[in-house]
Amino acid sequence: MSSPDPGHPPSTAADTDRRALVLDSAMVTFARFGYRKTSMEEVARAARISRPGLYFLFSSKETLFRAAVTQALERDIAVVEQVLADSARPLRERLLEAFDQWAGRYVGPLAQDVTAVIEDNPELLGEIVESAPRRFEELITAAIAFESGRDAAPSVAQTMISASIGLKHQAASREFYRDRMKVAIELLVRGKSSRTTCRIP
């Protein structure tokens, strides 16, 4: 029985897993060296695949980069959806975990390189760099609206996202980001709850 061609497009679960691993290796390599300095040879070496095999899967470095970033962002969004859907957990906990998955795990000297390589090359990535953040905002807004009502949910969600962006650039560690984001979420959720439960006679 012949072994499968390592450069064949994914058609089985094993092929799909292999492709995902190649894209993970590519993302790490792009983050380490930057897009322009990364070669297909370096990605192939990191992924333990032949250079022809890599080119068979991805016709160019640009195609590979777009696929790697798309996989990373889609994976993050999928986890955020799962976290926010767990209505058995308090809203504050779900929001904190969602923000940690979306932004917190990219905080720190090494993780920031991933963010930088994405932010530095938006022209190569197309719609995903806008659609993924937009989907994240929609998910956060929906979770807040379900608990606290739809009127203020968009502004509360946008304020949380603004706080997250600021903290992401200030924080030296993921723990710092989580601690400060927890405070921001607590204040915003508590403030919203107070406004909705208090009634002026």
Side-chain angles (χ1 to χ4, degrees):
M1 184 175 179
S2 61
S3 59
D5 178 1
H8 195 276
S11 58
T12 68
D15 291 334
T16 301
D17 289 345
R18 178 61 175 155
R19 185 176 188 273
L21 289 172
V22 169
L23 291 176
D24 284 340
S25 296
M27 194 71 250
V28 171
T29 308
F30 283 124
R32 181 180 177 190
F33 297 109
Y35 175 78
R36 286 167 183 78
K37 292 183 179 178
T38 296
S39 68
M40 292 290 273
E41 181 70 39
E42 285 164 334
V43 173
R45 192 181 308 118
R48 297 182 180 181
I49 188 174
S50 69
R51 191 164 176 270
L54 182 60
Y55 270 109
F56 193 84
L57 285 172
F58 304 99
S59 59
S60 67
K61 185 171 76 167
E62 181 178 336
T63 303
L64 173 62
F65 181 61
R66 188 180 298 116
V69 172
T70 298
Q71 173 177 275
L73 293 176
E74 288 179 346
R75 189 182 287 164
D76 288 347
I77 288 293
V79 174
V80 168
E81 287 181 328
Q82 185 178 10
V83 167
L84 292 175
D86 185 5
S87 57
R89 297 175 60 191
L91 177 62
R92 291 170 176 81
E93 286 184 14
R94 286 181 282 142
L95 288 171
L96 180 59
E97 188 171 339
F99 274 98
D100 183 52
Q101 175 63 34
W102 178 250
R105 73 190 195 90
Y106 294 110
V107 170
L110 296 177
Q112 283 175 350
D113 293 340
V114 175
T115 304
V117 78
I118 294 173
E119 292 177 348
D120 290 348
N121 301 279
E123 73 283 357
L124 300 175
L125 296 171
E127 199 228 347
I128 189 68
V129 291
E130 295 180 1
S131 62
R134 187 166 58 244
R135 178 59 179 154
F136 177 73
E137 182 175 336
E138 289 170 356
L139 291 167
I140 295 296
T141 303
I144 295 168
F146 184 79
E147 297 272 337
S148 306
R150 294 199 167 274
D151 290 346
S155 61
V156 173
Q158 288 162 12
T159 303
M160 285 183 184
I161 290 168
S162 295
S164 172
I165 292 169
L167 286 171
K168 187 176 168 186
H169 288 97
Q170 294 172 14
S173 69
R174 185 174 183 175
E175 292 73 21
F176 180 93
Y177 171 88
R178 281 183 61 92
D179 288 345
R180 293 298 176 89
M181 199 64 211
K182 183 178 181 180
V183 173
I185 290 169
E186 183 70 28
L187 288 171
L188 287 163
V189 173
R190 183 194 299 162
K192 179 67 182 80
S193 299
S194 298
R195 287 191 295 274
T196 55
T197 55
C198 290
R199 296 287 182 268
I200 298 174

Coordinates of all heavy atoms in Angstrom, one line a residue, residues 6-97:
P6 N 2.5 13.7 0.2 CA 2.5 14.8 1.2 C 2.1 16.1 0.6 O 1.7 17.0 1.4 CB 3.9 14.8 1.8 CG 4.8 14.3 0.7 CD 3.9 13.2 0.1
G7 N 2.2 16.3 -0.7 CA 1.8 17.5 -1.3 C 0.4 17.6 -1.8 O -0.1 18.5 -2.4
H8 N -0.4 16.5 -1.7 CA -1.7 16.4 -2.2 C -2.7 17.2 -1.4 O -2.6 17.3 -0.2 CB -2.2 14.9 -2.2 CG -3.4 14.7 -3.0 ND1 -4.7 14.9 -2.6 CD2 -3.5 14.2 -4.3 CE1 -5.5 14.6 -3.5 NE2 -4.9 14.2 -4.6
P9 N -3.6 18.0 -2.0 CA -4.6 18.8 -1.3 C -5.3 17.9 -0.3 O -5.6 16.8 -0.5 CB -5.5 19.3 -2.4 CG -4.7 19.2 -3.6 CD -3.8 18.0 -3.5
P10 N -5.8 18.5 0.8 CA -6.5 17.8 1.9 C -7.7 17.1 1.4 O -8.6 17.7 0.8 CB -6.8 18.8 2.9 CG -5.9 20.0 2.6 CD -5.6 19.9 1.2
S11 N -7.8 15.8 1.6 CA -9.0 15.0 1.3 C -9.5 14.1 2.4 O -10.5 13.6 2.4 CB -8.8 14.2 0.0 OG -7.7 13.3 0.2
T12 N -8.6 13.9 3.4 CA -9.0 13.1 4.5 C -8.7 13.9 5.8 O -8.1 15.0 5.8 CB -8.1 11.8 4.6 OG1 -6.8 12.2 4.8 CG2 -8.2 11.0 3.2
A13 N -9.1 13.3 6.9 CA -8.9 14.0 8.2 C -7.4 14.2 8.4 O -7.0 15.2 8.9 CB -9.5 13.2 9.3
A14 N -6.6 13.1 8.1 CA -5.2 13.2 8.3 C -4.6 14.3 7.4 O -3.7 15.1 7.9 CB -4.5 11.9 8.0
D15 N -5.1 14.4 6.2 CA -4.6 15.5 5.3 C -4.9 16.9 5.8 O -4.1 17.8 5.8 CB -5.1 15.3 3.9 CG -4.6 14.1 3.2 OD1 -3.5 13.7 3.5 OD2 -5.3 13.6 2.3
T16 N -6.1 17.0 6.3 CA -6.6 18.3 6.9 C -5.8 18.6 8.1 O -5.3 19.8 8.2 CB -8.1 18.2 7.3 OG1 -8.8 17.8 6.1 CG2 -8.6 19.5 7.8
D17 N -5.5 17.7 9.0 CA -4.6 17.9 10.1 C -3.2 18.3 9.7 O -2.6 19.2 10.3 CB -4.6 16.7 11.0 CG -5.9 16.4 11.7 OD1 -6.7 17.3 11.8 OD2 -6.0 15.3 12.3
R18 N -2.7 17.7 8.7 CA -1.4 18.0 8.2 C -1.3 19.4 7.7 O -0.4 20.2 7.9 CB -1.0 17.0 7.1 CG 0.4 17.3 6.5 CD 1.5 17.2 7.5 NE 2.8 17.3 6.9 CZ 3.8 17.7 7.5 NH1 3.8 18.1 8.8 NH2 5.0 17.8 6.9
R19 N -2.3 19.8 6.9 CA -2.4 21.2 6.4 C -2.5 22.2 7.5 O -1.8 23.2 7.5 CB -3.6 21.3 5.5 CG -3.7 22.6 4.7 CD -4.9 22.6 3.8 NE -4.9 23.8 2.9 CZ -5.4 25.0 3.3 NH1 -6.0 25.1 4.4 NH2 -5.4 26.0 2.4
A20 N -3.3 21.9 8.5 CA -3.4 22.8 9.7 C -2.1 23.0 10.4 O -1.7 24.1 10.8 CB -4.4 22.3 10.7
L21 N -1.3 21.9 10.5 CA 0.0 21.9 11.1 C 1.0 22.8 10.3 O 1.8 23.5 10.8 CB 0.6 20.5 11.4 CG -0.1 19.7 12.5 CD1 0.4 18.3 12.4 CD2 0.1 20.3 13.8
V22 N 0.9 22.6 9.0 CA 1.8 23.4 8.1 C 1.5 24.9 8.3 O 2.4 25.7 8.4 CB 1.6 23.0 6.6 CG1 2.2 24.0 5.7 CG2 2.1 21.6 6.4
L23 N 0.2 25.2 8.4 CA -0.2 26.6 8.5 C 0.2 27.2 9.9 O 0.6 28.3 10.0 CB -1.7 26.8 8.3 CG -2.2 26.5 6.9 CD1 -3.7 26.6 6.8 CD2 -1.6 27.5 5.9
D24 N 0.1 26.3 10.9 CA 0.6 26.8 12.2 C 2.1 27.1 12.2 O 2.5 28.1 12.7 CB 0.3 25.7 13.3 CG -1.2 25.6 13.7 OD1 -1.9 26.6 13.5 OD2 -1.6 24.5 14.2
S25 N 2.8 26.2 11.6 CA 4.3 26.4 11.4 C 4.6 27.6 10.6 O 5.5 28.4 11.0 CB 4.9 25.2 10.8 OG 4.8 24.0 11.5
A26 N 3.8 27.9 9.6 CA 4.0 29.1 8.8 C 3.7 30.3 9.6 O 4.5 31.3 9.5 CB 3.0 29.0 7.6
M27 N 2.7 30.3 10.4 CA 2.3 31.5 11.2 C 3.5 31.8 12.2 O 3.8 33.0 12.3 CB 1.0 31.2 12.0 CG 0.4 32.5 12.6 SD -0.4 33.6 11.3 CE 0.7 35.0 11.4
V28 N 4.0 30.8 12.8 CA 5.1 31.0 13.7 C 6.3 31.6 13.0 O 7.0 32.5 13.5 CB 5.5 29.7 14.4 CG1 6.8 29.8 15.2 CG2 4.3 29.3 15.4
T29 N 6.6 31.0 11.8 CA 7.8 31.5 11.0 C 7.6 32.9 10.5 O 8.5 33.7 10.6 CB 8.0 30.5 9.8 OG1 8.0 29.2 10.3 CG2 9.3 30.9 9.1
F30 N 6.4 33.2 10.1 CA 6.1 34.6 9.6 C 6.3 35.6 10.8 O 6.8 36.7 10.7 CB 4.7 34.7 9.0 CG 4.6 34.2 7.6 CD1 3.7 33.2 7.3 CD2 5.4 34.7 6.6 CE1 3.6 32.8 6.0 CE2 5.3 34.2 5.3 CZ 4.4 33.2 5.0
A31 N 5.8 35.2 12.0 CA 5.9 36.0 13.2 C 7.3 36.2 13.6 O 7.7 37.3 14.0 CB 5.1 35.4 14.3
R32 N 8.1 35.2 13.4 CA 9.5 35.3 13.8 C 10.4 36.2 12.9 O 11.2 37.0 13.4 CB 10.1 33.9 13.9 CG 11.6 33.8 14.4 CD 12.1 32.4 14.4 NE 13.5 32.4 14.7 CZ 14.3 31.3 14.6 NH1 13.7 30.1 14.2 NH2 15.5 31.3 15.0
F33 N 10.2 36.0 11.6 CA 11.1 36.7 10.7 C 10.4 37.9 10.0 O 11.1 38.7 9.4 CB 11.5 35.7 9.6 CG 12.4 34.6 10.1 CD1 11.9 33.3 10.2 CD2 13.7 34.9 10.6 CE1 12.7 32.3 10.7 CE2 14.5 33.8 11.1 CZ 14.0 32.5 11.1
G34 N 9.1 38.0 10.1 CA 8.3 39.0 9.3 C 8.0 38.5 8.0 O 8.7 37.5 7.5
Y35 N 7.0 39.0 7.3 CA 6.5 38.5 6.1 C 7.6 38.5 5.0 O 7.9 37.6 4.3 CB 5.3 39.2 5.6 CG 4.8 38.7 4.2 CD1 4.2 37.5 4.0 CD2 5.2 39.5 3.1 CE1 3.8 37.1 2.8 CE2 4.8 39.1 1.8 CZ 4.1 37.9 1.7 OH 3.8 37.5 0.4
R36 N 8.2 39.7 4.8 CA 9.1 39.9 3.7 C 10.4 39.0 3.8 O 11.0 38.6 2.8 CB 9.5 41.4 3.6 CG 8.3 42.2 3.0 CD 8.5 43.7 3.2 NE 7.3 44.4 2.6 CZ 6.1 44.5 3.3 NH1 6.0 43.9 4.5 NH2 5.1 45.1 2.7
K37 N 10.9 38.8 5.1 CA 12.1 38.1 5.2 C 11.9 36.5 5.3 O 12.9 35.8 5.3 CB 12.8 38.5 6.5 CG 13.4 40.0 6.4 CD 14.1 40.4 7.6 CE 14.7 41.8 7.5 NZ 15.4 42.2 8.7
T38 N 10.7 36.1 5.4 CA 10.4 34.7 5.5 C 10.4 34.1 4.1 O 9.8 34.6 3.1 CB 9.0 34.4 6.1 OG1 9.0 34.9 7.5 CG2 8.7 32.9 6.1
S39 N 11.1 33.0 3.9 CA 11.1 32.3 2.6 C 10.3 31.0 2.7 O 10.0 30.5 3.8 CB 12.5 31.9 2.3 OG 13.1 30.9 3.2
M40 N 9.8 30.5 1.6 CA 9.1 29.2 1.6 C 10.0 28.1 2.1 O 9.5 27.2 2.7 CB 8.6 29.0 0.1 CG 7.5 29.9 -0.3 SD 5.9 29.7 0.5 CE 5.2 28.4 -0.6
E41 N 11.3 28.2 1.8 CA 12.2 27.2 2.3 C 12.2 27.1 3.8 O 12.2 26.0 4.4 CB 13.6 27.5 1.8 CG 14.7 26.6 2.2 CD 14.6 25.2 1.5 OE1 14.2 25.2 0.3 OE2 14.8 24.2 2.2
E42 N 12.2 28.3 4.5 CA 12.1 28.3 6.0 C 10.8 27.7 6.5 O 10.8 27.0 7.5 CB 12.3 29.8 6.4 CG 13.7 30.3 6.3 CD 13.8 31.8 6.4 OE1 12.9 32.5 6.1 OE2 14.9 32.3 6.8
V43 N 9.7 28.0 5.8 CA 8.4 27.5 6.3 C 8.4 26.0 6.1 O 8.0 25.2 7.0 CB 7.3 28.1 5.5 CG1 6.0 27.4 5.8 CG2 7.2 29.6 5.8
A44 N 8.9 25.5 4.9 CA 9.0 24.1 4.7 C 9.8 23.4 5.8 O 9.4 22.3 6.3 CB 9.6 23.8 3.3
R45 N 10.9 24.0 6.1 CA 11.8 23.4 7.1 C 11.1 23.3 8.5 O 11.1 22.3 9.2 CB 13.1 24.2 7.2 CG 14.2 23.5 8.0 CD 15.5 24.4 8.1 NE 15.9 24.8 6.8 CZ 16.0 26.1 6.5 NH1 15.7 27.0 7.3 NH2 16.4 26.4 5.3
A46 N 10.4 24.4 8.8 CA 9.7 24.4 10.1 C 8.6 23.4 10.2 O 8.3 22.9 11.2 CB 9.2 25.9 10.4
A47 N 7.9 23.3 9.0 CA 6.8 22.4 8.9 C 7.2 20.9 8.7 O 6.3 20.0 8.6 CB 5.8 22.9 7.9
R48 N 8.5 20.7 8.4 CA 9.0 19.4 8.1 C 8.3 18.8 6.9 O 7.8 17.7 6.9 CB 8.8 18.4 9.3 CG 9.6 18.9 10.5 CD 9.5 18.0 11.7 NE 10.3 18.5 12.8 CZ 10.5 17.8 14.0 NH1 9.8 16.7 14.1 NH2 11.2 18.3 14.9
I49 N 8.2 19.6 5.9 CA 7.6 19.2 4.6 C 8.6 19.6 3.5 O 9.4 20.5 3.7 CB 6.3 19.9 4.4 CG1 5.5 19.3 3.2 CG2 6.4 21.4 4.3 CD1 4.1 19.8 3.0
S50 N 8.6 18.9 2.4 CA 9.5 19.3 1.3 C 9.1 20.6 0.7 O 7.9 21.0 0.7 CB 9.5 18.2 0.2 OG 8.3 18.1 -0.5
R51 N 10.0 21.3 0.1 CA 9.7 22.6 -0.5 C 8.7 22.4 -1.7 O 7.7 23.1 -1.8 CB 11.0 23.2 -1.0 CG 10.8 24.7 -1.4 CD 12.2 25.4 -1.5 NE 12.1 26.7 -2.0 CZ 12.2 27.1 -3.3 NH1 12.4 26.1 -4.2 NH2 12.1 28.3 -3.6
P52 N 8.9 21.4 -2.6 CA 7.9 21.1 -3.6 C 6.5 20.7 -3.0 O 5.5 21.1 -3.6 CB 8.5 19.9 -4.4 CG 10.0 20.0 -4.1 CD 10.1 20.5 -2.7
G53 N 6.6 20.0 -1.9 CA 5.3 19.6 -1.3 C 4.6 20.9 -0.8 O 3.3 21.0 -0.9
L54 N 5.3 21.8 -0.2 CA 4.7 23.1 0.3 C 4.1 23.9 -0.9 O 3.0 24.4 -0.8 CB 5.8 23.9 1.0 CG 5.3 25.2 1.6 CD1 4.2 25.0 2.6 CD2 6.5 26.0 2.3
Y55 N 4.9 24.0 -2.0 CA 4.4 24.7 -3.2 C 3.2 24.0 -3.8 O 2.4 24.6 -4.4 CB 5.5 24.9 -4.2 CG 6.3 26.1 -4.0 CD1 7.6 26.1 -3.6 CD2 5.7 27.4 -4.3 CE1 8.4 27.2 -3.4 CE2 6.5 28.5 -4.2 CZ 7.8 28.5 -3.7 OH 8.5 29.6 -3.5
F56 N 3.1 22.7 -3.6 CA 1.9 22.0 -4.2 C 0.7 22.4 -3.4 O -0.4 22.5 -3.9 CB 2.2 20.5 -4.1 CG 1.2 19.7 -4.9 CD1 1.4 19.5 -6.2 CD2 0.1 19.1 -4.3 CE1 0.5 18.7 -7.0 CE2 -0.9 18.4 -5.0 CZ -0.7 18.2 -6.4
L57 N 0.8 22.6 -2.1 CA -0.3 23.0 -1.2 C -0.6 24.5 -1.4 O -1.8 24.9 -1.4 CB 0.0 22.7 0.2 CG 0.0 21.3 0.7 CD1 0.5 21.2 2.2 CD2 -1.4 20.7 0.7
F58 N 0.4 25.3 -1.5 CA 0.3 26.7 -1.6 C 1.2 27.3 -2.7 O 2.4 27.1 -2.7 CB 0.6 27.4 -0.3 CG -0.2 26.8 0.9 CD1 0.4 25.9 1.7 CD2 -1.5 27.2 1.1 CE1 -0.3 25.3 2.8 CE2 -2.2 26.7 2.2 CZ -1.6 25.7 3.0
S59 N 0.5 27.9 -3.7 CA 1.2 28.3 -4.9 C 2.2 29.4 -4.7 O 3.1 29.6 -5.5 CB 0.2 28.6 -6.0 OG -0.6 29.7 -5.6
S60 N 2.1 30.2 -3.6 CA 3.0 31.3 -3.4 C 3.0 31.6 -1.9 O 2.2 31.2 -1.1 CB 2.4 32.5 -4.2 OG 1.2 33.0 -3.6
K61 N 4.0 32.4 -1.6 CA 4.1 32.9 -0.2 C 2.9 33.7 0.2 O 2.4 33.6 1.4 CB 5.4 33.7 0.0 CG 5.7 34.0 1.5 CD 7.1 34.6 1.7 CE 7.2 36.0 1.2 NZ 8.4 36.7 1.6
E62 N 2.4 34.5 -0.6 CA 1.2 35.3 -0.3 C 0.0 34.4 0.0 O -0.7 34.7 0.9 CB 0.9 36.2 -1.5 CG -0.3 37.1 -1.2 CD -0.5 38.1 -2.4 OE1 0.4 38.4 -3.1 OE2 -1.7 38.6 -2.5
T63 N -0.2 33.4 -0.8 CA -1.3 32.5 -0.6 C -1.1 31.7 0.7 O -2.1 31.6 1.5 CB -1.3 31.4 -1.8 OG1 -1.5 32.1 -3.0 CG2 -2.5 30.5 -1.6
L64 N 0.1 31.3 1.0 CA 0.4 30.6 2.3 C 0.1 31.6 3.5 O -0.5 31.2 4.5 CB 1.8 30.2 2.3 CG 2.4 29.6 3.6 CD1 1.6 28.4 4.0 CD2 3.9 29.3 3.5
F65 N 0.6 32.8 3.4 CA 0.4 33.8 4.4 C -1.1 34.0 4.7 O -1.6 34.0 5.8 CB 1.1 35.1 4.1 CG 1.0 36.2 5.1 CD1 1.5 36.0 6.4 CD2 0.4 37.4 4.8 CE1 1.4 37.0 7.4 CE2 0.3 38.4 5.8 CZ 0.8 38.2 7.0
R66 N -1.8 34.2 3.6 CA -3.3 34.5 3.8 C -4.0 33.3 4.4 O -4.8 33.5 5.3 CB -3.9 34.8 2.4 CG -5.4 35.3 2.5 CD -5.9 35.5 1.1 NE -5.2 36.6 0.4 CZ -4.5 36.5 -0.7 NH1 -4.5 35.3 -1.3 NH2 -3.9 37.5 -1.2
A67 N -3.6 32.1 4.0 CA -4.2 30.9 4.6 C -3.9 30.7 6.1 O -4.7 30.3 6.9 CB -3.8 29.7 3.8
A68 N -2.6 31.0 6.4 CA -2.2 30.9 7.8 C -2.9 31.9 8.7 O -3.4 31.5 9.8 CB -0.7 31.1 7.9
V69 N -3.0 33.1 8.3 CA -3.7 34.1 9.1 C -5.2 33.8 9.2 O -5.8 33.9 10.2 CB -3.5 35.5 8.5 CG1 -4.3 36.6 9.2 CG2 -2.0 35.9 8.6
T70 N -5.8 33.4 8.0 CA -7.2 33.1 8.0 C -7.5 31.9 9.0 O -8.5 32.0 9.8 CB -7.7 32.7 6.6 OG1 -7.5 33.8 5.7 CG2 -9.1 32.3 6.6
Q71 N -6.7 30.9 9.0 CA -6.9 29.8 9.9 C -6.8 30.3 11.4 O -7.6 29.9 12.2 CB -5.8 28.7 9.7 CG -5.9 27.6 10.7 CD -4.9 26.5 10.5 OE1 -5.2 25.6 9.7 NE2 -3.7 26.5 11.1
A72 N -5.8 31.1 11.7 CA -5.6 31.6 13.1 C -6.9 32.4 13.5 O -7.4 32.2 14.6 CB -4.4 32.4 13.2
L73 N -7.3 33.3 12.7 CA -8.5 34.2 13.0 C -9.8 33.4 13.1 O -10.6 33.6 14.0 CB -8.6 35.3 12.0 CG -7.5 36.4 12.0 CD1 -7.7 37.4 10.9 CD2 -7.3 37.1 13.4
E74 N -10.0 32.5 12.2 CA -11.2 31.7 12.2 C -11.2 30.8 13.4 O -12.3 30.5 14.0 CB -11.3 30.8 10.9 CG -11.7 31.7 9.7 CD -11.8 30.9 8.4 OE1 -11.3 29.7 8.4 OE2 -12.3 31.4 7.4
R75 N -10.0 30.3 13.8 CA -10.0 29.4 15.0 C -10.3 30.2 16.2 O -11.0 29.8 17.1 CB -8.5 28.8 15.1 CG -8.3 27.8 16.2 CD -6.9 27.3 16.2 NE -6.6 26.5 15.0 CZ -5.3 26.2 14.6 NH1 -4.3 26.8 15.3 NH2 -5.1 25.4 13.6
D76 N -9.8 31.5 16.3 CA -10.1 32.3 17.5 C -11.6 32.6 17.5 O -12.2 32.6 18.6 CB -9.3 33.6 17.3 CG -7.8 33.5 17.6 OD1 -7.4 32.4 18.1 OD2 -7.0 34.4 17.3
I77 N -12.2 33.0 16.4 CA -13.6 33.3 16.4 C -14.4 32.1 16.8 O -15.4 32.2 17.6 CB -14.0 33.7 15.0 CG1 -13.5 35.2 14.7 CG2 -15.5 33.7 14.8 CD1 -14.1 36.2 15.6
A78 N -14.0 30.9 16.4 CA -14.8 29.6 16.7 C -14.7 29.4 18.3 O -15.7 29.1 18.9 CB -14.2 28.4 16.0
V79 N -13.6 29.7 18.9 CA -13.5 29.5 20.3 C -14.3 30.6 21.0 O -15.0 30.3 22.0 CB -12.0 29.6 20.8 CG1 -11.9 29.6 22.3 CG2 -11.2 28.4 20.2
V80 N -14.3 31.8 20.5 CA -15.0 32.9 21.1 C -16.5 32.5 21.1 O -17.3 32.7 22.0 CB -14.8 34.2 20.4 CG1 -15.8 35.3 20.8 CG2 -13.4 34.7 20.8
E81 N -17.0 32.0 19.9 CA -18.4 31.6 19.8 C -18.8 30.6 20.8 O -19.8 30.7 21.5 CB -18.6 31.1 18.4 CG -18.7 32.2 17.3 CD -19.0 31.6 16.0 OE1 -18.5 30.4 15.7 OE2 -19.6 32.2 15.1
Q82 N -17.9 29.6 21.0 CA -18.1 28.5 21.9 C -18.2 29.0 23.4 O -19.1 28.7 24.2 CB -17.0 27.5 21.8 CG -17.3 26.2 22.7 CD -16.2 25.2 22.4 OE1 -15.2 25.5 21.8 NE2 -16.4 24.0 23.0
V83 N -17.3 29.9 23.7 CA -17.2 30.5 25.1 C -18.5 31.3 25.4 O -19.1 31.1 26.4 CB -16.0 31.4 25.2 CG1 -16.0 32.2 26.5 CG2 -14.7 30.5 25.3
L84 N -18.8 32.2 24.5 CA -20.0 33.0 24.7 C -21.3 32.3 24.7 O -22.3 32.8 25.3 CB -20.0 34.2 23.7 CG -18.9 35.2 23.8 CD1 -18.9 36.2 22.6 CD2 -18.9 35.9 25.1
A85 N -21.4 31.2 24.1 CA -22.6 30.4 24.0 C -22.9 29.6 25.3 O -24.0 29.1 25.5 CB -22.5 29.4 22.8
D86 N -21.9 29.5 26.1 CA -22.1 28.7 27.4 C -22.8 29.6 28.4 O -22.3 30.2 29.3 CB -20.7 28.3 27.9 CG -20.8 27.4 29.2 OD1 -21.9 27.0 29.5 OD2 -19.7 27.1 29.7
S87 N -24.1 29.6 28.3 CA -25.0 30.5 29.1 C -25.1 30.1 30.5 O -25.6 30.8 31.4 CB -26.4 30.6 28.5 OG -27.0 29.3 28.4
A88 N -24.5 28.9 30.9 CA -24.5 28.5 32.3 C -23.5 29.3 33.1 O -23.5 29.3 34.3 CB -24.2 27.0 32.4
R89 N -22.5 29.9 32.4 CA -21.5 30.7 33.1 C -21.9 32.1 33.2 O -22.6 32.6 32.3 CB -20.2 30.6 32.3 CG -19.6 29.2 32.3 CD -18.4 29.1 31.4 NE -17.3 30.0 32.0 CZ -16.2 30.3 31.3 NH1 -16.0 29.8 30.1 NH2 -15.3 31.1 31.8
P90 N -21.5 32.9 34.2 CA -21.8 34.3 34.3 C -21.3 35.1 33.1 O -20.2 34.7 32.5 CB -21.1 34.7 35.6 CG -20.9 33.5 36.4 CD -20.7 32.4 35.4
L91 N -22.0 36.1 32.7 CA -21.6 36.9 31.5 C -20.2 37.4 31.7 O -19.4 37.4 30.7 CB -22.6 38.1 31.3 CG -22.3 39.0 30.2 CD1 -22.2 38.3 28.8 CD2 -23.2 40.2 30.2
R92 N -19.8 37.9 32.9 CA -18.5 38.5 33.1 C -17.4 37.5 32.8 O -16.4 37.9 32.1 CB -18.3 39.0 34.5 CG -19.2 40.2 34.9 CD -19.2 40.4 36.4 NE -19.9 41.6 36.9 CZ -21.2 41.6 37.1 NH1 -21.9 40.5 36.8 NH2 -21.8 42.7 37.5
E93 N -17.6 36.3 33.2 CA -16.6 35.2 33.0 C -16.4 34.9 31.5 O -15.3 34.8 31.0 CB -17.0 33.9 33.7 CG -16.7 34.0 35.2 CD -17.1 32.6 35.8 OE1 -17.2 31.6 35.1 OE2 -17.2 32.6 37.1
R94 N -17.6 34.9 30.8 CA -17.6 34.5 29.4 C -16.9 35.7 28.6 O -16.1 35.4 27.7 CB -19.0 34.3 28.9 CG -19.5 33.0 29.3 CD -20.9 32.8 28.8 NE -21.9 33.5 29.5 CZ -23.0 34.1 29.0 NH1 -23.2 34.1 27.7 NH2 -23.9 34.7 29.7
L95 N -17.2 36.9 29.0 CA -16.6 38.0 28.3 C -15.1 38.1 28.5 O -14.3 38.3 27.5 CB -17.2 39.3 28.7 CG -18.7 39.6 28.3 CD1 -19.2 40.8 29.0 CD2 -18.8 39.8 26.8
L96 N -14.7 37.8 29.7 CA -13.2 37.9 30.0 C -12.5 36.8 29.2 O -11.5 37.0 28.6 CB -13.0 37.7 31.4 CG -11.5 37.7 31.9 CD1 -10.8 39.0 31.4 CD2 -11.3 37.5 33.4
E97 N -13.1 35.6 29.2 CA -12.4 34.5 28.4 C -12.4 34.8 26.9 O -11.5 34.5 26.2 CB -13.1 33.2 28.7 CG -12.3 32.0 28.1 CD -12.8 30.6 28.6 OE1 -13.5 30.6 29.6 OE2 -12.6 29.7 27.9

